[in-house]
Amino acid sequence: MSTTTDKHNARIANMKFYSVYPHYVTKIEKKGRTINELHQVIEWLTGFNSEKLQQLINDQVTFTTFFEEANLNDNASLIKGVICGYRIEEIDNELTQKVRYLDKLVDELAKGRKMEKILRS
C-alpha cells in the first residue's frame, strides 16, 4: 500500500474544489483541450453535469463534499498509474485516492490521450 500521511490526507480533504478547478482548466487549455472535454471527464468520474459542477464551484465546496456528492463511476478503479509521486491504485485513503483519480484524468487529457481511453471505454 502507498501510504499517504494523515497530514497529507487532511490537506486534500480540506482543499476547496473551486480553487483547484482553474488549474485544471489552465493545464488542459495550454495543451489545446477544451473545457467541454474537461467537463466530460469530470462527469464521467463523478456524474456531475456542467450545471452541478458550477453549483459546487459557486458553493466553494471542499474535496470532501465534492466526492460525498459524487456518484463515482464503476470503472474508476481502472484508473492506474503514478500521480504526484503516489501509485493511485495503492493509495489507502479513499478520498485521497478519488482526488488522485481526478488528477490523473486531467493529466491524461492534457497529455493528448484519446477520450475513449481516458474514459476507460
Side-chain angles (χ1 to χ4, degrees):
M1 277 284 153
S2 190
T3 49
T4 49
T5 64
D6 289 342
K7 184 178 174 183
H8 176 86
N9 294 330
R11 191 174 57 81
I12 284 184
N14 294 316
M15 207 179 305
K16 303 276 190 186
F17 176 75
Y18 82 94
S19 67
V20 177
Y21 177 79
H23 298 290
Y24 292 155
V25 172
T26 301
K27 184 174 188 166
I28 59 113
E29 285 185 335
K30 273 200 308 200
K31 299 294 186 167
R33 300 307 283 258
T34 66
I35 289 179
N36 282 345
E37 288 174 308
L38 175 62
H39 286 191
Q40 189 181 347
V41 164
I42 294 171
E43 185 170 355
W44 177 87
L45 180 65
T46 63
F48 298 146
N49 62 22
S50 292
E51 193 176 284
K52 175 66 175 176
L53 197 57
Q54 191 57 55
Q55 179 197 332
L56 293 166
I57 290 168
N58 293 346
D59 293 348
Q60 300 186 357
V61 301
T62 61
F63 271 112
T64 299
T65 303
F66 183 84
F67 280 105
E68 280 173 354
E69 293 192 23
N71 183 7
L72 206 67
N73 190 297
D74 291 338
N75 287 335
S77 62
L78 299 177
I79 302 168
K80 298 188 183 327
V82 175
I83 191 97
C84 299
Y86 297 99
R87 180 153 288 287
I88 296 170
E89 59 271 28
E90 295 177 357
I91 294 174
D92 56 3
N93 179 282
E94 190 179 344
L95 176 63
T96 300
Q97 186 177 50
K98 290 174 182 176
V99 173
R100 295 306 180 201
Y101 284 157
L102 181 56
D103 291 342
K104 184 69 173 174
L105 294 177
V106 171
D107 211 40
E108 290 176 357
L109 188 62
K111 287 181 175 169
R113 198 159 189 218
K114 286 186 167 66
M115 197 55 93
E116 58 268 16
K117 289 219 187 276
I118 296 171
L119 303 182
R120 287 14 187 210
S121 51

